[in-house]
């Protein structure tokens, strides 16, 4: 059976165990965290973008030459180039770099859960489909950026230590520029919940308005760019993803209203995290015409969904119990869906034969096994040539 699927089942079982038997929380959490970390760190060639990032890693020189414009103007972002150069200086192969990256990410997630989430095992489970599978296993740069945000920036956000928060966000954005969007939380922190609700309505209206052809051409004529063209004209709506975002946000919002009615007020920490989460809902509704861009800018806030849920839960009441059942079922569905997507979106696995339950796990200890599915070195060489042609900075090596 697939190690990824077994890890998912372990997380689901651990979540149920700690819900009914909280005394086993510590043991279940560390077992789940250890398996997730090992699965992430020791994989080889797996994840939709693994070989792509390997090719990028090979194009990055170990020498930092500021006179060649190393700081800006080249892809990928400076933070990613610097940590890549650091490992290349030590002559580390890419799989060592990926393993160290995975360990650092899991430690950052542990810090986030330890500081802000009351049920850490359930927190890991809720993060598995969106963060772990989609970004930590596949989208390496954005995965690192999100983990830095969760583990370092979010604690400063809830403490309103803004200078440290901004510095952490800038560091995260140096790995993936989508991270600059987190700066919006500085004013959002002080907005009342009624205003956040109004923003959701405005975002939904704006998302519909920009689908009007005349409006799209207005933006293109005044702000021409590649990304704007892709967003307005090439993007496709994912109705499943849109429904999942809207329904999960609605359930969480109703739970928030119930909690406030029952308890008189919501703790400031919980409300701050909920406002940040709602920013992601706004971005998805506004950019929903392109599921690619909507997901990119929604996901970096949606990772807070599980924390908000667990902070609002009161197990002895039927309303939060119903919400817990809903999100447990939703996470099971999305986990299965994202595991299947990791297979279907890969060019090297036969989707008719390879399924979620038998998806092979290739580790760094048997790297040659990847050749059973595709020619890794050939694909790496092709991507290297594509990257070297686009990144004049890396021509230094010639």
């Amino acid at each position: 059976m697939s190690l990824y699927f077994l890890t998912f089942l372990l997380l689901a079982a651990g979540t149920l165990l700690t819900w009914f038997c909280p005394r086993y929380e510590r043991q279940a959490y560390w077992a789940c965290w250890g398996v997730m970390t090992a699965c992430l760190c020791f994989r080889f060639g797996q994840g939709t973008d693994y070989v792509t990032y390997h090719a990028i890693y090979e194009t990055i020189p170990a020498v930092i030459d500021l006179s060649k414009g190393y700081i800006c103007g080249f892809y990928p972002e400076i933070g990613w180039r610097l940590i890549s150069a650091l490992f290349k200086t030590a002559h580390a192969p890419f799989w060592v770099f990926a393993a160290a990256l995975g360990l650092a990410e899991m430690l950052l997630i542990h810090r986030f859960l330890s500081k802000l989430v009351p049920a850490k095992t359930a927190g890991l489970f809720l993060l598995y489909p969106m963060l772990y599978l989609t970004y930590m296993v596949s989208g390496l740069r954005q995965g690192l950026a999100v983990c830095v945000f969760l583990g370092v920036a979010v604690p400063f956000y809830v403490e309103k230590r803004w200078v440290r928060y901004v510095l952490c966000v800038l560091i995260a954005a140096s790995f993936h520029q989508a991270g600059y969007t987190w700066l919006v939380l500085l004013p959002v922190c002080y907005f009342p919940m009624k205003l956040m609700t109004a923003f959701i309505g405005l975002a939904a209206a704006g998302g519909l308005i920009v689908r009007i052809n005349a409006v799209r051409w207005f933006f293109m004529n005044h702000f021409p760019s590649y990304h704007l063209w892709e967003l307005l004209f090439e993007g496709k709506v994912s109705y499943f993803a849109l429904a999942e975002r809207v329904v999960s946000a609605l359930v969480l919002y109703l739970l928030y209203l119930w909690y406030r009615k029952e308890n008189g007020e919501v703790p400031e920490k919980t409300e701050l995290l909920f406002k940040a989460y709602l920013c992601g809902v706004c971005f998805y509704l506004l950019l929903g015409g392109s599921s690619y861009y909507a997901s990119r800018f929604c996901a970096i806030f949606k990772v807070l969904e599980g924390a908000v849920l667990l902070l609002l839960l009161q197990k002895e009441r039927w309303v939060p119990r119903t919400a817990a059942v809903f999100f447990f079922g939703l996470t099971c569905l999305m986990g299965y869906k994202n595991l299947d997507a990791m297979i279907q979106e890969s060019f090297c696995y036969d989707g008719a034969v390879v399924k979620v339950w038998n998806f092979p796990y290739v580790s760094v200890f048997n790297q040659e096994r990847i050749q059973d599915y595709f020619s890794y070195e050939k694909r790496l060489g092709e991507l290297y040539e594509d990257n070297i042609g686009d990144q004049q900075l890396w021509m230094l090596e010639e």
Side-chain angles (χ1 to χ4, degrees), residues 72-83:
C72 59
F74 295 94
Y75 174 86
E77 286 81 346
I78 181 63
W80 188 263
R81 281 182 266 134
L82 288 175
I83 61 171

Side-chain angles (χ1 to χ4, degrees), residues 20 70 110 118 128 132 136 157 178 204 222 246 250 252 279 293 295 297 302 318 336 376 390:
F20 294 106
Y70 201 95
H110 169 69
Y128 188 83
Y132 187 83
M136 293 169 67
Y157 165 67
H222 289 82
V246 171
L250 179 60
L252 202 57
C279 286
Y293 287 97
S295 295
F297 289 96
K302 188 174 172 63
W318 74 269
Y336 186 92
Y376 187 87
D390 293 337

Side-chain angles (χ1 to χ4, degrees), residues 42-58:
F42 296 132
R43 78 195 191 285
F44 179 81
Q46 296 192 303
T48 52
D49 294 333
Y50 185 99
V51 66
T52 302
Y53 279 109
H54 188 173
I56 292 174
Y57 182 78
E58 295 300 331

Side-chain angles (χ1 to χ4, degrees), residues 310-323:
L310 295 170
L311 287 167
L312 291 173
L313 285 184
Q314 293 180 344
K315 290 190 288 186
E316 67 278 4
R317 312 297 291 275
W318 74 269
V319 171
R321 285 205 303 266
T322 302

Side-chain angles (χ1 to χ4, degrees), residues 92-107:
F94 180 74
W95 66 265
V96 172
F97 173 69
L101 192 69
L103 178 59
E105 289 172 337
M106 290 302 299
L107 289 172

Side-chain angles (χ1 to χ4, degrees), residues 15 19-20 118 122 126 248 250-263 270 305-329:
T15 299
W19 175 271
F20 294 106
L126 293 166
S248 59
L250 179 60
V251 172
L252 202 57
Y253 198 89
L254 291 174
L255 178 62
Y256 167 84
L257 294 176
W258 175 88
Y259 187 100
R260 190 171 65 182
K261 179 182 177 181
E262 292 294 313
N263 298 278
T270 305
E305 183 176 76
V308 176
L309 170 68
L310 295 170
L311 287 167
L312 291 173
L313 285 184
Q314 293 180 344
K315 290 190 288 186
E316 67 278 4
R317 312 297 291 275
W318 74 269
V319 171
R321 285 205 303 266
T322 302
V325 171
F326 169 80
F327 277 102
F328 182 85

Side-chain angles (χ1 to χ4, degrees), residues 10-28:
L10 176 65
L11 286 166
T15 299
L16 291 175
L17 174 65
T18 55
W19 175 271
F20 294 106
C21 302
R23 65 182 180 275
Y24 295 116
E25 169 67 43
R26 184 175 181 275
Q27 296 90 328

